[in-house]
Amino acid sequence: MMNSSRPLRFKQPSRLPSFGETGIENEQVLTLVFESISWDIHTICAVASVSRRFCAIARRVLWRSLCVHRAPGMAAALSGSDPSGRIDGGWQALAKLMFFCGGGESTRSPGHFASESRFSKTSGRFFLPKNCRGDLLYVSDPCEHEAVGGGGDEHLGVFRGVFREFMRSKTRQCLVRRQAELEEKVRCPYCGGRVWSMKAARLVPKSAARRLGSRDGGLEFYVCVNGHLHGTCWLIPLSSDEEERDFDGEEDDDSDEFLRR
């Protein structure tokens, strides 16, 4: 007869049996799933937070596939010289940069997913000093935010960007040559890396403010050690007869990327 006073015990396996990558944990299956929903970034974020295994798959496959699918020209330009497809800072940071506006302390709204963004390498040239214009830099159009205490009259533009091969760039060489110091209290909102203030390094061209429609002295941006750029500018309203002058007479080319959330 069973002794009812003794608790029932079940033998636990030392580890779960391994059947390889099956079902939803298979990278090919996940790729097909996300292709069917056009690589929705919110769903990838949710899947990556389920477990360490899913997080690893996202880092290894999903973030890169998202960037390539949603911005093929930009992704190819940033990774083209590396046969392994790696980029500075990683694909997860680039995916966040593509779709996430960091907001700012001077704005009423915090960081948020941007409903749409346009990245342009033509715009990026306006942010490069003359001796650094051989670098490739993509910069977004500014996301407009109402300023705190501005009474609705002042608006802050929040923008972001990314360099190709920043470690080899002339911009980084210029920062090092000038012995520019890394900021103590500011970090990159996309990869967490340390940043240089381009304003403190006196490397903010006047053409950048003109491109963004900002008043003189109302522009600040940072570049991190992985080549991610983020910044803010005070926007000024333009009259109807004012037209933006293009860089050296050039117009935006067809390599720009327009992204919707």
Side-chain angles (χ1 to χ4, degrees):
M1 179 180 295
M2 180 180 295
N3 187 347
S4 60
S5 64
R6 297 180 61 184
L8 296 175
R9 297 180 181 274
F10 296 92
K11 184 178 180 180
Q12 299 293 331
S14 57
R15 62 186 182 89
L16 293 175
S18 175
F19 299 106
E21 293 184 352
T22 60
I24 196 63
E25 291 188 348
N26 184 281
E27 292 179 3
Q28 293 182 343
V29 172
L30 277 174
T31 298
L32 291 173
V33 170
F34 281 105
E35 282 181 352
S36 69
I37 58 174
S38 298
W39 296 95
D40 179 69
I41 189 171
H42 298 280
T43 307
I44 297 180
C45 289
V47 168
S49 65
V50 169
S51 66
R52 290 182 179 180
R53 182 173 182 80
F54 280 118
C55 182
I57 294 174
R59 287 182 179 275
R60 188 167 58 249
V61 178
L62 301 183
W63 294 121
R64 178 185 178 187
S65 297
L66 164 69
C67 295
V68 170
H69 177 82
R70 302 292 290 274
M74 184 173 166
L78 294 174
S79 64
S81 64
D82 189 339
S84 66
R86 296 178 182 177
I87 59 172
D88 294 339
W91 291 98
Q92 182 178 4
L94 179 61
K96 183 177 180 181
L97 185 143
M98 284 181 175
F99 295 96
F100 188 79
C101 169
E105 295 181 358
S106 300
T107 68
R108 294 184 181 277
S109 56
H112 63 95
F113 280 101
S115 58
E116 58 185 37
S117 300
R118 185 183 72 100
F119 285 85
S120 168
K121 68 179 182 181
T122 306
S123 294
R125 295 177 187 175
F126 286 80
F127 289 78
L128 299 171
K130 288 184 179 180
N131 60 338
C132 298
R133 286 177 181 167
D135 294 343
L136 177 60
L137 169 64
Y138 282 89
V139 172
S140 74
D141 290 339
C143 180
E144 190 169 320
H145 294 254
E146 184 177 344
V148 175
D153 296 328
E154 289 191 313
H155 289 81
L156 197 71
V158 182
F159 57 94
R160 56 207 192 273
V162 58
F163 281 82
R164 177 179 65 184
E165 296 184 334
F166 182 68
M167 289 295 293
R168 302 179 182 179
S169 69
K170 293 181 179 179
T171 300
R172 184 182 182 278
Q173 292 175 12
C174 192
L175 286 164
V176 172
R177 187 167 57 248
R178 293 191 176 198
Q179 298 182 334
E181 295 185 358
L182 292 164
E183 294 292 301
E184 291 293 335
K185 297 182 179 180
V186 183
R187 292 278 178 166
C188 175
Y190 301 104
C191 69
R194 300 191 67 183
V195 303
W196 286 281
S197 165
M198 301 300 280
K199 189 173 184 178
R202 299 182 180 179
L203 289 174
V204 178
K206 292 183 179 180
S207 57
R210 186 176 72 245
R211 181 68 170 183
L212 294 172
S214 175
R215 62 174 182 250
D216 291 340
L219 171 66
E220 166 72 297
F221 64 93
Y222 302 88
V223 175
C224 81
V225 294
N226 289 313
H228 303 130
L229 178 153
H230 74 281
T232 58
C233 62
W234 290 102
L235 301 173
I236 55 176
L238 298 177
S239 61
S240 58
D241 60 345
E242 285 181 302
E243 295 182 357
E244 184 180 13
R245 288 177 294 178
D246 290 325
F247 178 85
D248 289 340
E250 296 179 10
E251 297 182 355
D252 287 354
D253 54 26
D254 60 0
S255 63
D256 298 347
E257 297 287 355
F258 187 78
L259 309 176
R260 293 185 182 277
R261 185 172 56 186

